[in-house]
Amino acid sequence: MQLSKRPMQKGKVAIDRELIQELADLLEETGLDEIEIEQNGMRVRVARRSPVMHVSAGPEAASAPAMAAAASVPVPMPAPAAADPAKHPGAVTSPMVGTAYRAAEPGGKPFIDIGSQVKTGDTLLIVEAMKTMNQIPAPKSGTVTQILFEDGQPVEYGEPLMIIE
């Protein structure tokens, strides 16, 4: 991946080439079209479909062309259908792009099943992102009525994973 080596200007942020390469590699490994992360106030989105990369921290942004993968600005999405699980008031959505797992280890007991009673803060699943296992806590107490992903399935940011009623 090649990025231009321009001198930094006042108000611009340094581009973390290693992070961008890791994200591009993750796109290839998972077959996803785009990935977005936010760390320490810096948001990076890498996508296959756009020829320009934007890295932003606050109102200013630094950009450079990318070869294998490129980032894009947010694109308006069409309005979802009324039956969309993401619109359910008890929907638990993925806070990041990664791979969702129902158990702490392969073949292990799932954290929850349909019908499980959960309390706010209970671990529901794990999303692996950039080789880091992130426990996803229950946002509210209730009963798990639907599980909307398969173990080991790639998930997108904001994708509904389960319903708690």
Side-chain angles (χ1 to χ4, degrees), residues 82-146:
D84 183 1
K87 293 294 184 188
H88 190 284
V92 176
T93 59
S94 179
M96 65 194 73
V97 174
T99 304
Y101 297 102
R102 294 189 55 203
E105 58 188 11
K109 182 179 183 288
F111 292 107
I112 51 91
D113 287 307
I114 293 176
S116 294
Q117 295 290 319
V118 296
K119 292 179 271 182
T120 303
D122 287 353
T123 299
L124 300 173
L125 66 141
I126 293 175
V127 175
E128 178 185 10
M130 296 180 63
K131 299 179 183 169
T132 300
M133 299 298 187
N134 301 281
Q135 294 182 0
I136 308 304
K140 67 178 198 171
S141 297
T143 303
V144 177
T145 59
Q146 292 181 46

Side-chain angles (χ1 to χ4, degrees), residues 17 31 34 38 42 63 69 86 93 118 142 144 152 162:
R17 295 169 190 235
E34 70 180 14
E38 186 171 345
M42 180 186 297
S63 65
T93 59
V118 296
V144 177
M162 64 185 59

Side-chain angles (χ1 to χ4, degrees), residues 20 23-24 27 33-36 44-48 69-72:
I20 293 169
L23 293 173
L27 282 178
D33 289 331
E34 70 180 14
I35 186 170
E36 180 177 357
V44 178
R45 174 179 272 166
V46 179
R48 295 179 194 252
S72 64

Side-chain angles (χ1 to χ4, degrees), residues 30-84:
T30 61
L32 296 171
D33 289 331
E34 70 180 14
I35 186 170
E36 180 177 357
I37 66 164
E38 186 171 345
Q39 293 178 332
N40 303 325
M42 180 186 297
R43 191 171 84 188
V44 178
R45 174 179 272 166
V46 179
R48 295 179 194 252
R49 63 181 173 256
S50 176
V52 181
M53 178 181 334
H54 298 281
V55 178
S56 63
E60 284 88 23
S63 65
M67 193 170 76
S72 64
V73 293
V75 177
M77 300 298 288
D84 183 1

